[in-house]
Amino acid sequence: MTCSKSYCIFNISLRYIGGANLLEYIILGILYSKPLTGYDIRKDIEIGIDMFYKASYGSLYPLLSKLLDKQYVCCVEEQHGKRMKKIYHITSEGKNAFIGWLEAPIEPGSSMEAFMARVYFYDKLSYKISSIRIVEYEKHLVDYLNDLIKKREQFMNLPNQEQFYYKLSTLYFGICKLQSIIMWCRTVSGRNELESLILPMNGEE
Amino acid sequence: MTCSKSYCIFNISLRYIGGANLLEYIILGILYSKPLTGYDIRKDIEIGIDMFYKASYGSLYPLLSKLLDKQYVCCVEEQHGKRMKKIYHITSEGKNAFIGWLEAPIEPGSSMEAFMARVYFYDKLSYKISSIRIVEYEKHLVDYLNDLIKKREQFMNLPNQEQFYYKLSTLYFGICKLQSIIMWCRTVSGRNELESLILPMNGEE
DNA sequence: GAGAGCATGTAATCAGTTACATGATTAC
DNA sequence: GTAATCATGTAACTGATTACATGCTCTC
């Protein structure tokens, strides 16, 4: 019991030091290009990375306060008629924190969505580092793909496959998705023509 | 204020009626095949659908209690040496609830992971309904893909594309992923050979 | 006898959504 | 004038993780 309490304190301090979540960096990344209101930050997120990250006001505004506390952003209040707008600006500390995060290797366990949220800002990085990071991530994906392929082989040795067609199909889903993302990594890490990624498909219009 | 309170009550009652989350159905689906302990349910989830659903004991055990309350499962305690095992069995009410969920159309806004968690259990459904549900889901994906393709066209009209190569690449990521999943849907809804989904790739061994 | 894995759970915390609450501005 | 959108937030709740807490059983 005494032990658990001290562990707990240790955790809190760890979180306090390292503690910043994905959305914090996304906010910093968006403010890096231009100062915006909370409302506009949300719109930018919606337009740009809605596909792999959703931000509601309920999570956005409290995080803006947190970033103010950390002095990663500062806030300038502007009068627009009767309405007051709070324009958030990134500080130099905020820029450093953001670039530090952006340059860092991707944590092995992170999701494709977290990876893509980072890639979204890679135009702010050198080609060299961006490519290294994407190639690193590709390696994770290839390892994962090989695991799934092994798993599939185990499945294929079983009898009565028609009885678990759909179970097996979800495994193929994973393989499909991984393969297409690996192709994406190979194209993007070499900064090749993106158009080549598009498959010829009928029926999408 | 008075209004908000009544809304709140309304919400609670709504949730009470409809309230079951994905993991509850996954547990029911797993118990549908065989009775298991909480520990073994987790292992089954890990082996089968870890790819798109993670379940920790912290979420699993409280849900098992909830399912007991609802009488969707019952629990038989067995003595194994000095250790007591709690074997959970699905009840007929539980089976009905599970099949009802499994047969239902997929909610338009649901993620691919939620969709796949359902497909994982489609072997318990007729071929006809399974196919209809997958084709329905494919339509959502095609709509979404068309939105992204439109977005890409807007992007392509902008000058200085090399300045936002990575921003654009995340859009291509979405397109790639959607295309591969649409292919998957077309194969699986027709119950075609899954092997055809695998792309010829070098470097995965 | 030590360590991996079996087995069951709770408490604290976290990250995020939804509903609530308010009111100004713009376009029709 | 009214509906959509701009704009800022808070409170309650949800769904889930992680750490804590405990102790058995099997394998080496």
PDB file of all heavy atoms in Angstrom, chain A residues 10-28:
ATOM      1  N   PHE A  10       5.382   8.839  -8.571  1.00  0.00           N
ATOM      2  CA  PHE A  10       6.381   8.714  -9.618  1.00  0.00           C
ATOM      3  C   PHE A  10       5.727   8.860 -10.998  1.00  0.00           C
ATOM      4  O   PHE A  10       6.223   9.567 -11.867  1.00  0.00           O
ATOM      5  CB  PHE A  10       7.073   7.364  -9.481  1.00  0.00           C
ATOM      6  CG  PHE A  10       8.188   7.164 -10.459  1.00  0.00           C
ATOM      7  CD1 PHE A  10       9.296   8.002 -10.445  1.00  0.00           C
ATOM      8  CD2 PHE A  10       8.135   6.149 -11.390  1.00  0.00           C
ATOM      9  CE1 PHE A  10      10.329   7.822 -11.355  1.00  0.00           C
ATOM     10  CE2 PHE A  10       9.161   5.979 -12.297  1.00  0.00           C
ATOM     11  CZ  PHE A  10      10.268   6.802 -12.275  1.00  0.00           C
ATOM     12  N   ASN A  11       4.581   8.211 -11.152  1.00  0.00           N
ATOM     13  CA  ASN A  11       3.886   8.286 -12.431  1.00  0.00           C
ATOM     14  C   ASN A  11       3.443   9.693 -12.760  1.00  0.00           C
ATOM     15  O   ASN A  11       3.572  10.150 -13.876  1.00  0.00           O
ATOM     16  CB  ASN A  11       2.639   7.392 -12.406  1.00  0.00           C
ATOM     17  CG  ASN A  11       3.018   5.937 -12.423  1.00  0.00           C
ATOM     18  OD1 ASN A  11       4.092   5.611 -12.898  1.00  0.00           O
ATOM     19  ND2 ASN A  11       2.172   5.092 -11.898  1.00  0.00           N
ATOM     20  N   ILE A  12       2.893  10.338 -11.751  1.00  0.00           N
ATOM     21  CA  ILE A  12       2.409  11.694 -11.970  1.00  0.00           C
ATOM     22  C   ILE A  12       3.562  12.583 -12.432  1.00  0.00           C
ATOM     23  O   ILE A  12       3.426  13.331 -13.395  1.00  0.00           O
ATOM     24  CB  ILE A  12       1.769  12.265 -10.677  1.00  0.00           C
ATOM     25  CG1 ILE A  12       0.417  11.589 -10.449  1.00  0.00           C
ATOM     26  CG2 ILE A  12       1.575  13.765 -10.791  1.00  0.00           C
ATOM     27  CD1 ILE A  12      -0.121  11.756  -9.051  1.00  0.00           C
ATOM     28  N   SER A  13       4.701  12.439 -11.788  1.00  0.00           N
ATOM     29  CA  SER A  13       5.821  13.297 -12.158  1.00  0.00           C
ATOM     30  C   SER A  13       6.312  12.962 -13.567  1.00  0.00           C
ATOM     31  O   SER A  13       6.640  13.849 -14.340  1.00  0.00           O
ATOM     32  CB  SER A  13       6.946  13.176 -11.135  1.00  0.00           C
ATOM     33  OG  SER A  13       7.402  11.851 -11.078  1.00  0.00           O
ATOM     34  N   LEU A  14       6.322  11.675 -13.900  1.00  0.00           N
ATOM     35  CA  LEU A  14       6.701  11.279 -15.250  1.00  0.00           C
ATOM     36  C   LEU A  14       5.786  11.917 -16.284  1.00  0.00           C
ATOM     37  O   LEU A  14       6.247  12.451 -17.293  1.00  0.00           O
ATOM     38  CB  LEU A  14       6.602   9.746 -15.405  1.00  0.00           C
ATOM     39  CG  LEU A  14       7.888   8.963 -15.253  1.00  0.00           C
ATOM     40  CD1 LEU A  14       7.616   7.495 -15.397  1.00  0.00           C
ATOM     41  CD2 LEU A  14       8.931   9.413 -16.252  1.00  0.00           C
ATOM     42  N   ARG A  15       4.507  11.847 -15.987  1.00  0.00           N
ATOM     43  CA  ARG A  15       3.544  12.406 -16.941  1.00  0.00           C
ATOM     44  C   ARG A  15       3.697  13.915 -17.052  1.00  0.00           C
ATOM     45  O   ARG A  15       3.512  14.488 -18.095  1.00  0.00           O
ATOM     46  CB  ARG A  15       2.119  12.055 -16.503  1.00  0.00           C
ATOM     47  CG  ARG A  15       1.704  10.720 -17.077  1.00  0.00           C
ATOM     48  CD  ARG A  15       0.346  10.306 -16.612  1.00  0.00           C
ATOM     49  NE  ARG A  15       0.213   8.870 -16.791  1.00  0.00           N
ATOM     50  CZ  ARG A  15      -0.284   8.040 -15.909  1.00  0.00           C
ATOM     51  NH1 ARG A  15      -0.716   8.481 -14.741  1.00  0.00           N
ATOM     52  NH2 ARG A  15      -0.356   6.750 -16.160  1.00  0.00           N
ATOM     53  N   TYR A  16       4.016  14.497 -15.915  1.00  0.00           N
ATOM     54  CA  TYR A  16       4.167  15.950 -15.907  1.00  0.00           C
ATOM     55  C   TYR A  16       5.326  16.386 -16.798  1.00  0.00           C
ATOM     56  O   TYR A  16       5.236  17.355 -17.539  1.00  0.00           O
ATOM     57  CB  TYR A  16       4.393  16.452 -14.475  1.00  0.00           C
ATOM     58  CG  TYR A  16       4.374  17.946 -14.384  1.00  0.00           C
ATOM     59  CD1 TYR A  16       3.181  18.652 -14.535  1.00  0.00           C
ATOM     60  CD2 TYR A  16       5.539  18.664 -14.195  1.00  0.00           C
ATOM     61  CE1 TYR A  16       3.157  20.032 -14.469  1.00  0.00           C
ATOM     62  CE2 TYR A  16       5.523  20.042 -14.132  1.00  0.00           C
ATOM     63  CZ  TYR A  16       4.332  20.727 -14.272  1.00  0.00           C
ATOM     64  OH  TYR A  16       4.320  22.093 -14.214  1.00  0.00           O
ATOM     65  N   ILE A  17       6.393  15.593 -16.766  1.00  0.00           N
ATOM     66  CA  ILE A  17       7.571  15.930 -17.563  1.00  0.00           C
ATOM     67  C   ILE A  17       7.322  15.658 -19.054  1.00  0.00           C
ATOM     68  O   ILE A  17       7.460  16.527 -19.888  1.00  0.00           O
ATOM     69  CB  ILE A  17       8.821  15.131 -17.082  1.00  0.00           C
ATOM     70  CG1 ILE A  17       9.186  15.545 -15.668  1.00  0.00           C
ATOM     71  CG2 ILE A  17       9.992  15.354 -18.019  1.00  0.00           C
ATOM     72  CD1 ILE A  17      10.084  14.572 -14.949  1.00  0.00           C
ATOM     73  N   GLY A  18       6.951  14.434 -19.337  1.00  0.00           N
ATOM     74  CA  GLY A  18       6.822  14.052 -20.739  1.00  0.00           C
ATOM     75  C   GLY A  18       5.471  14.405 -21.337  1.00  0.00           C
ATOM     76  O   GLY A  18       5.317  14.476 -22.539  1.00  0.00           O
ATOM     77  N   GLY A  19       4.547  14.656 -20.448  1.00  0.00           N
ATOM     78  CA  GLY A  19       3.128  14.636 -20.803  1.00  0.00           C
ATOM     79  C   GLY A  19       2.630  15.607 -21.859  1.00  0.00           C
ATOM     80  O   GLY A  19       2.338  16.750 -21.582  1.00  0.00           O
ATOM     81  N   ALA A  20       2.533  15.144 -23.048  1.00  0.00           N
ATOM     82  CA  ALA A  20       1.861  15.917 -24.082  1.00  0.00           C
ATOM     83  C   ALA A  20       1.244  14.906 -25.025  1.00  0.00           C
ATOM     84  O   ALA A  20       1.899  13.947 -25.398  1.00  0.00           O
ATOM     85  CB  ALA A  20       2.855  16.799 -24.812  1.00  0.00           C
ATOM     86  N   ASN A  21       0.035  15.118 -25.374  1.00  0.00           N
ATOM     87  CA  ASN A  21      -0.580  14.124 -26.249  1.00  0.00           C
ATOM     88  C   ASN A  21      -0.583  14.602 -27.697  1.00  0.00           C
ATOM     89  O   ASN A  21      -0.159  15.720 -28.010  1.00  0.00           O
ATOM     90  CB  ASN A  21      -1.974  13.755 -25.756  1.00  0.00           C
ATOM     91  CG  ASN A  21      -2.965  14.887 -25.892  1.00  0.00           C
ATOM     92  OD1 ASN A  21      -2.737  15.813 -26.653  1.00  0.00           O
ATOM     93  ND2 ASN A  21      -4.047  14.806 -25.166  1.00  0.00           N
ATOM     94  N   LEU A  22      -1.027  13.726 -28.544  1.00  0.00           N
ATOM     95  CA  LEU A  22      -1.007  13.984 -29.981  1.00  0.00           C
ATOM     96  C   LEU A  22      -1.678  15.298 -30.344  1.00  0.00           C
ATOM     97  O   LEU A  22      -1.123  16.094 -31.109  1.00  0.00           O
ATOM     98  CB  LEU A  22      -1.678  12.802 -30.675  1.00  0.00           C
ATOM     99  CG  LEU A  22      -1.655  12.780 -32.185  1.00  0.00           C
ATOM    100  CD1 LEU A  22      -0.245  12.915 -32.704  1.00  0.00           C
ATOM    101  CD2 LEU A  22      -2.301  11.506 -32.700  1.00  0.00           C
ATOM    102  N   LEU A  23      -2.848  15.528 -29.780  1.00  0.00           N
ATOM    103  CA  LEU A  23      -3.587  16.738 -30.156  1.00  0.00           C
ATOM    104  C   LEU A  23      -2.814  18.012 -29.827  1.00  0.00           C
ATOM    105  O   LEU A  23      -2.865  18.983 -30.581  1.00  0.00           O
ATOM    106  CB  LEU A  23      -4.970  16.750 -29.479  1.00  0.00           C
ATOM    107  CG  LEU A  23      -5.888  17.926 -29.844  1.00  0.00           C
ATOM    108  CD1 LEU A  23      -6.049  18.099 -31.337  1.00  0.00           C
ATOM    109  CD2 LEU A  23      -7.254  17.767 -29.185  1.00  0.00           C
ATOM    110  N   GLU A  24      -2.076  17.985 -28.735  1.00  0.00           N
ATOM    111  CA  GLU A  24      -1.254  19.160 -28.397  1.00  0.00           C
ATOM    112  C   GLU A  24      -0.285  19.476 -29.528  1.00  0.00           C
ATOM    113  O   GLU A  24      -0.111  20.633 -29.909  1.00  0.00           O
ATOM    114  CB  GLU A  24      -0.461  18.900 -27.104  1.00  0.00           C
ATOM    115  CG  GLU A  24      -1.292  19.033 -25.852  1.00  0.00           C
ATOM    116  CD  GLU A  24      -0.450  18.875 -24.593  1.00  0.00           C
ATOM    117  OE1 GLU A  24       0.513  19.644 -24.420  1.00  0.00           O
ATOM    118  OE2 GLU A  24      -0.748  17.962 -23.798  1.00  0.00           O
ATOM    119  N   TYR A  25       0.350  18.439 -30.055  1.00  0.00           N
ATOM    120  CA  TYR A  25       1.312  18.665 -31.136  1.00  0.00           C
ATOM    121  C   TYR A  25       0.616  19.068 -32.422  1.00  0.00           C
ATOM    122  O   TYR A  25       1.151  19.865 -33.198  1.00  0.00           O
ATOM    123  CB  TYR A  25       2.173  17.413 -31.330  1.00  0.00           C
ATOM    124  CG  TYR A  25       3.099  17.170 -30.174  1.00  0.00           C
ATOM    125  CD1 TYR A  25       3.005  16.024 -29.393  1.00  0.00           C
ATOM    126  CD2 TYR A  25       4.067  18.116 -29.823  1.00  0.00           C
ATOM    127  CE1 TYR A  25       3.850  15.809 -28.313  1.00  0.00           C
ATOM    128  CE2 TYR A  25       4.907  17.919 -28.744  1.00  0.00           C
ATOM    129  CZ  TYR A  25       4.806  16.758 -27.995  1.00  0.00           C
ATOM    130  OH  TYR A  25       5.629  16.559 -26.930  1.00  0.00           O
ATOM    131  N   ILE A  26      -0.546  18.530 -32.639  1.00  0.00           N
ATOM    132  CA  ILE A  26      -1.298  18.918 -33.837  1.00  0.00           C
ATOM    133  C   ILE A  26      -1.643  20.410 -33.767  1.00  0.00           C
ATOM    134  O   ILE A  26      -1.485  21.139 -34.749  1.00  0.00           O
ATOM    135  CB  ILE A  26      -2.563  18.048 -33.986  1.00  0.00           C
ATOM    136  CG1 ILE A  26      -2.168  16.612 -34.337  1.00  0.00           C
ATOM    137  CG2 ILE A  26      -3.504  18.617 -35.045  1.00  0.00           C
ATOM    138  CD1 ILE A  26      -3.316  15.615 -34.312  1.00  0.00           C
ATOM    139  N   ILE A  27      -2.072  20.847 -32.605  1.00  0.00           N
ATOM    140  CA  ILE A  27      -2.377  22.278 -32.421  1.00  0.00           C
ATOM    141  C   ILE A  27      -1.129  23.116 -32.697  1.00  0.00           C
ATOM    142  O   ILE A  27      -1.175  24.087 -33.452  1.00  0.00           O
ATOM    143  CB  ILE A  27      -2.903  22.541 -30.991  1.00  0.00           C
ATOM    144  CG1 ILE A  27      -4.258  21.874 -30.769  1.00  0.00           C
ATOM    145  CG2 ILE A  27      -3.003  24.049 -30.724  1.00  0.00           C
ATOM    146  CD1 ILE A  27      -4.730  21.884 -29.315  1.00  0.00           C
ATOM    147  N   LEU A  28      -0.012  22.703 -32.102  1.00  0.00           N
ATOM    148  CA  LEU A  28       1.239  23.438 -32.324  1.00  0.00           C
ATOM    149  C   LEU A  28       1.597  23.459 -33.811  1.00  0.00           C
ATOM    150  O   LEU A  28       2.010  24.491 -34.342  1.00  0.00           O
ATOM    151  CB  LEU A  28       2.377  22.819 -31.505  1.00  0.00           C
ATOM    152  CG  LEU A  28       2.301  22.991 -29.981  1.00  0.00           C
ATOM    153  CD1 LEU A  28       3.452  22.264 -29.301  1.00  0.00           C
ATOM    154  CD2 LEU A  28       2.305  24.459 -29.569  1.00  0.00           C
TER     155      LEU A  28
END
